[in-house]
C-alpha cells in the first residue's frame, strides 16, 4: 500500500488543479484516474461539434498568469480537441503526469476511524492510504443509457455522446439517429447533418437555445484580454454565475415591449448564457420570464421554415433557463435541410430497437448508427459509483438514500477528511464550473494548510451544519423558477432518483462570501480534531472541537 497525504480521484480540470495546488503546498498527492488519459469529461465527450459553451478565456485556469499569457485560444468557444490540448499542455507545463495513475478505477474507499486515514482500493486490487480523500469526479460524468429493448439486436453501432469512442466514427453517408436534445444533441445535430445521408433527431422536450455567436479570436482581441486578464477574472468572480455577466438592474416588467426588444436583441446576438441576465428577474418571476421566453420562441421560429416542425421545436412547457438552455451553432436551421427529420417521442414513443433501426409506436426508422445524447446521472452519479465507507461502516449511498446532504457542498458528516469538489449543494452547474472548481480547491487547500499549522488531523462536517446548509439551499431556490420544471438540477433525469434540488442557486459571489465567513469563524459547521475521533493512541489528547 502506498501512503500519501491526499488521494485525488479524477484527472479532469478539478483533479489537475487540486494536484497542482496541493503539491505546491508540499503535500504528497496521488491522483487516480479511471480513463487511460487526462481530461475527464473533455476526454470522453468527443462527439462531432463538441465545444464549450462558456467563452474560452473564462473557461480556463486562473492560477497562473504565465499560463494565461502563453496560451492562445483560437475560437471564442473552444472545441473539445482544443480544450483537451489545453489540459494536456497544463499537465506537461507543470509536470503533473508523474502523480497520476491512469486506467485506475477506484472501487472502494474506507475510512479507518482509529488511524484517521482513508484506504482506497482500485479495481485491480492495488491500494493507497491517504489522510484526505478528495473527490474530483465531475457532475456530468456518469452517462445515462436508456437501454431500450432489443438494443443488442441492432446491427449498427450504438454510441453515447459522453463516452464517444476513440476509434474514428464515420457518419458520412450513413443514416443516423440522435436521441436527446439537450446541449449535446443540439451541438452535434448541425455538424452530423452536414455529413449523414439522413439524420433523425428524437426529441422528448424542445429546449431553448441562444446562438453561440462563435468566432475566431483575432490577435487584437487576444492582446486586449491578456492585457486586462486580472480585471476580467475579478469581474467573473463578482458576477452571479462566474461568467462575468452582470445582471441588468432593471426588471423586465418595468420596461415596455418596445424597450425590451433591443435589449433582448443585443443579448440574443452576443451574450449566450448571459441572455438570462438581460433583466435581473428573468429567473425570478414567471411574467418576467415570459417576456424573454416569448422573444426566444419568436427567434427560434424565424429559423425554421416548416410550420409543423417550427411548432414542435419551439419550447412551450417550461420557463426559459429553469432547466439548462443550450448555446447552439445552427441547430434549428439544420431542420430546414432535406436530410434532417424530427421524431417526437412524446407523440410516438420509442418501443424498441430492431436490427434495422428504431421502432416507435408510429413506425420503423431505419438507421445505421444510433447516438444517445440522453445525458447523465447528474451531481451524484459519479460520487456514488464506488463504495465510500465512513464511520461505523456507513456508506455514502446509505447516507444519501433520500438525496445528497453536505456542508457547503464540500463535506459530509460521518465521512471525515472526505473533501468534495463542486459537490451537491455548491454552485457547480449553476455557474462557470471551472471558476467554482478553482474557488473550492483554494478554500479546501487553505483549510488543509490551517490543519497543518495547528497540528490537526481530522475535519468533519457536523450534522447540524449539513441540515442548516440543505435548508438554506432549499430556501434560496424557492425564490427562483428552477423548481417549476423537471430537470437534472432536481433529480428528475433518472427514474427513482430522490427529488432534491442539488446545486446552490445563491451565486458564486454569495457562496464565496459564505466560504470566507465559515473560515473566518474557525470553520464553523466543522469539527477539527488533533487526532482521529476513535484514535486508540494513549498519548493522544481527548478528541475535541477546536475553535480556530
Ligand atoms: O444531456 P441533457 P446533455 N428518451 O440531460 C433526452 C453539459 N454540456 O448531454 O428533456 C428520449 O441536458 C432528454 O429529454 P428530456 C451541460 O451542462 C455542456 O445534452 O428529459 N429522450 C434531453 O433532451 C448540459 O446541460 C456542453 O425530456 C431522452 C436529453 O436527452 C449537460 O452537459 C456540451 C431520454 C438529455 O439532455 C448535459 O447535456 C454538452 C429517453 N429515454 C453538454 N432520456 C458544453 O458545451 C433523456 N432524453 C460545455
Amino acid at each position: 500500500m502506498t501512503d500519501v497525504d491526499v488521494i485525488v480521484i479524477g484527472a479532469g480540470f478539478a483533479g489537475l488543479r487540486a494536484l497542482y495546488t496541493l503539491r505546491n503546498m508540499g503535500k504528497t498527492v496521488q491522483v487516480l484516474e479511471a480513463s487511460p488519459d487526462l481530461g475527464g469529461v473533455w476526454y470522453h465527450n468527443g462527439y462531432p461539434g463538441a465545444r464549450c459553451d462558456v467563452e474560452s478565456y473564462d473557461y480556463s485556469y486562473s492560477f497562473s498568469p504565465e499560463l494565461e499569457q502563453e496560451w492562445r485560444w483560437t475560437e471564442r468557444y473552444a472545441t473539445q480537441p482544443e480544450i483537451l490540448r489545453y489540459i494536456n499542455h497544463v499537465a506537461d507545463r507543470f509536470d503533473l503526469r508523474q502523480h497520476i495513475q491512469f486506467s485506475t478505477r477506484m472501487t472502494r474507499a474506507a475510512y479507518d476511524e482509529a488511524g484517521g486515514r482513508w484506504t482506497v482500493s482500485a479495481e485491480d486490487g492495488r491500494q493507497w492510504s491517504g489522510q484526505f480523500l478528495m473527490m474530483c469526479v465531475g457532475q456530468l460524468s456518469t452517462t445515462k443509457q436508456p437501454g431500450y429493448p432489443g438494443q443488442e439486436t441492432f446491427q449498427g453501432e450504438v454510441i453515447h455522446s459522453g463516452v464517444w469512442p476513440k476509434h474514428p466514427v464515420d457518419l458520412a453517408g450513413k443514416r443516423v439517429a440522435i436521441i436527446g436534445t439537450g446541449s449535446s444533441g443540439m451541438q452535434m445535430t448541425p455538424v452530423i447533418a452536414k455529413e449523414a445521408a439522413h439524420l433523425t433527431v428524437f426529441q422528448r422536450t424542445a429546449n431553448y437555445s441562444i446562438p453561440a455567436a462563435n468566432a475566431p479570436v483575432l490577435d487584437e482581441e487576444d492582446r486586449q484580454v491578456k492585457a486586462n486578464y486580472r480585471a476580467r477574472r475579478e469581474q467573473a468572480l463578482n458576477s452571479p454565475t462566474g461568467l462575468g455577466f452582470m445582471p441588468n438592474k432593471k426588471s423586465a416588467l418595468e420596461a415596455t415591449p418596445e424597450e425590451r426588444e433591443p435589449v433582448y436583441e443585443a443579448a440574443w446576438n452576443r451574450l449566450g448564457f448571459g441572455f438570462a441576465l438581460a433583466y435581473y428577474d428573468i429567473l425570478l418571476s414567471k411574467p418576467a420570464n415570459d417576456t424573454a421566453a416569448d422573444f426566444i420562441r419568436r427567434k427560434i421560429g424565424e429559423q425554421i421554415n416548416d410550420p409543423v416542425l417550427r411548432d414542435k421545436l419551439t419550447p412551450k412547457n417550461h420557463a426559459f433557463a429553469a432547466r439548462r438552455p443550450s448555446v447552439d451553432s445552427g441547430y434549428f436551421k439544420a431542420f430546414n435541410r432535406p436530410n434532417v427529420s424530427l421524431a417526437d417521442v412524446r407523440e410516438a414513443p420509442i418501443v424498441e430497437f430492431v436490427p434495422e433501426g428504431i421502432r416507435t409506436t408510429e413506425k420503423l426508422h431505419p438507421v445505421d448508427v444510433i447516438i444517445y445524447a440522453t445525458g447523465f446521472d447528474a451531481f451524484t452519479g459519479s460520487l456514488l459509483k464506488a463504495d465510500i465507507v465512513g464511520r461505523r461502516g456507513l456508506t455514502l449511498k446509505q447516507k444519501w438514500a433520500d438525496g445528497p446532504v453536505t456542508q457547503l457542498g464540500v463535506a459530509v458528516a460521518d465521512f471525515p477528511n472526505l473533501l468534495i469538489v463542486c459537490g451537491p449543494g455548491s454552485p457547480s452547474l449553476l455557474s462557470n464550473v471551472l471558476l467554482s472548481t478553482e474557488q473550492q480547491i483554494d478554500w479546501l487547500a487553505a483549510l488543509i494548510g490551517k490543519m497543518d499549522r495547528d497540528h490537526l488531523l481530522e475535519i468533519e462536517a457536523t450534522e447540524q451544519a449539513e441540515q442548516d446548509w440543505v435548508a438554506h439551499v432549499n430556501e434560496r431556490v424557492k425564490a427562483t423558477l428552477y423548481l417549476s420544471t423537471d430537470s437534472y438540477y432536481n433529480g428528475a433525469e433518472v427514474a427513482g432518483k430522490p427529488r432534491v434540488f442539488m446545486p446552490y442557486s445563491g451565486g458564486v459571489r454569495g457562496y464565496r462570501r459564505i466560504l470566507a465567513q465559515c473560515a473566518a469563524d474557525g470553520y464553523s459547521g466543522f469539527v477539527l480534531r488533533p487526532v482521529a475521533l476513535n484514535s486508540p493512541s494513549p498519548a493522544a489528547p481527548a478528541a475535541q472541537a477546536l475553535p480556530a
Side-chain angles (χ1 to χ4, degrees):
M1 179 142 62
T2 311
D3 289 343
V4 291
D5 295 323
V6 189
I7 303 171
V8 171
I9 309 300
F13 267 112
L16 283 189
R17 175 60 152 86
L19 167 57
Y20 170 83
T21 303
L22 294 166
R23 193 189 58 176
N24 278 3
M25 292 167 64
K27 293 283 160 197
T28 52
V29 184
Q30 179 66 66
V31 181
L32 306 182
E33 167 57 58
S35 303
D37 212 336
L38 295 169
V41 291
W42 292 108
Y43 174 80
H44 287 290
N45 280 264
Y47 58 82
R51 65 171 73 239
C52 189
D53 42 22
V54 172
E55 289 198 25
S56 313
Y57 289 105
D58 302 307
Y59 195 85
S60 55
Y61 287 120
S62 65
F63 66 80
S64 161
E66 296 78 24
L67 174 65
E68 279 173 347
Q69 293 298 321
E70 74 197 17
W71 184 261
R72 174 68 164 86
W73 292 107
T74 65
E75 289 183 81
R76 190 176 286 162
Y77 296 92
T79 61
Q80 176 264 349
E82 186 167 10
I83 294 171
L84 207 48
R85 280 200 298 280
Y86 173 76
I87 294 173
N88 277 279
H89 169 75
V90 172
D92 293 338
R93 190 190 190 289
F94 297 102
D95 196 17
L96 299 175
R97 270 175 212 276
Q98 54 173 313
H99 306 286
I100 307 171
Q101 287 284 329
F102 293 105
S103 303
T104 302
R105 179 175 291 283
M106 171 178 102
T107 50
R108 182 181 159 88
Y111 189 65
D112 167 16
E113 290 190 68
R117 289 181 77 79
W118 283 94
T119 301
V120 169
S121 310
E123 226 163 12
D124 60 10
R126 281 176 301 158
Q127 291 194 315
W128 291 262
S129 156
Q131 183 187 356
F132 296 98
L133 173 62
M134 190 178 275
M135 300 297 287
C136 295
V137 292
Q139 302 77 38
L140 295 163
S141 42
T142 295
T143 57
K144 214 176 67 181
Q145 311 257 1
Y148 289 103
Q151 184 169 318
E152 68 292 347
T153 69
F154 176 60
Q155 282 167 352
E157 200 168 1
V158 180
I159 303 172
H160 193 290
S161 62
V163 276
W164 195 261
K166 291 295 164 192
H167 63 252
V169 178
D170 183 13
L171 300 175
K174 301 258 173 69
R175 296 164 304 171
V176 180
I178 297 173
I179 303 176
T181 54
S183 299
S184 304
M186 285 177 131
Q187 279 187 344
M188 68 176 79
T189 290
V191 180
I192 294 177
K194 284 190 191 135
E195 53 174 345
H198 192 87
L199 171 64
T200 309
V201 178
F202 290 76
Q203 171 187 278
R204 190 162 70 181
T205 306
N207 200 3
Y208 294 93
S209 186
I210 312 291
N214 188 33
V217 175
L218 305 177
D219 285 343
E220 182 48 31
E221 189 184 352
D222 185 62
R223 263 195 301 277
Q224 276 181 19
V225 173
K226 286 176 176 170
N228 299 293
Y229 224 142
R230 294 273 64 74
R232 187 178 177 114
R233 298 290 194 190
E234 271 307 303
Q235 173 152 341
L237 275 169
N238 287 305
S239 65
T241 56
L243 295 165
F245 304 115
M246 301 314 274
N248 187 340
K249 290 196 168 60
K250 212 167 166 181
S251 159
L253 303 175
E254 280 166 27
T256 63
E258 294 71 29
E259 286 166 341
R260 280 195 298 262
E261 189 68 16
V263 173
Y264 284 149
E265 186 68 36
W268 175 263
N269 288 328
R270 181 62 180 88
L271 287 195
F273 285 134
F275 194 102
L277 297 174
Y279 291 101
Y280 80 83
D281 51 355
I282 287 176
L283 257 163
L284 304 179
S285 138
K286 183 65 169 58
N289 193 283
D290 286 343
T291 66
D294 286 345
F295 177 91
I296 297 170
R297 281 193 276 261
R298 175 156 53 83
K299 286 292 195 184
I300 289 174
E302 285 169 8
Q303 299 174 68
I304 306 160
N305 299 338
D306 179 86
V308 177
L309 273 176
R310 191 182 307 143
D311 183 56
K312 284 184 190 296
L313 286 163
T314 301
K316 297 180 191 73
N317 299 324
H318 63 278
F320 165 63
R323 49 181 16 229
R324 190 176 180 289
S326 250
V327 172
D328 73 287
S329 299
Y331 173 71
F332 296 105
K333 285 187 179 149
F335 288 90
N336 296 332
R337 297 175 64 103
N339 68 331
V340 178
S341 49
L342 186 76
D344 181 336
V345 300
R346 282 204 199 273
E347 252 174 42
I350 295 172
V351 177
E352 59 178 348
F353 289 4
V354 293
E356 319 84 285
I358 297 176
R359 188 185 301 285
T360 67
T361 52
E362 183 190 47
K363 65 176 198 177
L364 170 70
H365 295 266
V367 293
D368 304 308
V369 180
I370 299 174
I371 300 171
Y372 281 136
T374 45
F376 303 86
D377 180 353
F379 296 100
T380 52
S382 294
L383 287 169
L384 296 178
K385 228 182 228 174
D387 284 326
I388 299 183
V389 188
R391 290 198 191 286
R392 306 177 304 283
L394 181 72
T395 66
L396 196 59
K397 280 188 197 96
Q398 290 166 332
K399 167 104 187 187
W400 286 3
D402 296 327
V405 286
T406 64
Q407 157 66 335
L408 301 175
V410 297
V412 185
D414 279 324
F415 294 81
N417 293 2
L418 171 69
L419 306 173
I420 303 176
V421 174
C422 283
S426 73
S428 59
L429 297 181
L430 290 184
S431 69
N432 174 356
V433 74
L434 190 41
L435 178 142
S436 288
T437 296
E438 293 201 272
Q439 186 187 61
Q440 282 192 11
I441 289 170
D442 285 338
W443 190 83
L444 290 169
L447 164 62
I448 291 174
K450 177 206 163 44
M451 289 176 70
D452 282 351
R453 284 191 303 279
D454 295 355
H455 308 291
L456 300 166
L457 279 187
E458 196 176 71
I459 173 146
E460 184 173 1
T462 68
E463 278 186 19
Q464 185 61 51
E466 270 177 357
Q467 285 167 20
D468 293 348
W469 182 247
V470 171
H472 176 66
V473 170
N474 288 332
E475 200 48 45
R476 282 306 302 239
V477 75
K478 274 191 211 151
T480 73
L481 297 173
Y482 288 121
L483 297 179
S484 65
T485 186
D486 285 349
S487 72
Y488 65 66
Y489 298 145
N490 54 38
E493 83 285 13
V494 175
K497 190 167 169 171
R499 296 297 289 268
V500 173
F501 189 79
M502 286 175 279
Y504 177 56
S505 61
V508 297
R509 187 174 52 169
Y511 179 73
R512 190 167 80 252
R513 285 182 182 147
I514 292 168
L515 287 183
Q517 192 59 51
C518 171
D521 292 345
Y523 294 93
S524 49
F526 294 90
V527 180
L528 297 135
R529 302 188 185 94
V531 292
L533 179 58
N534 295 328
S535 169
S537 161
Q544 54 181 308
L546 287 188

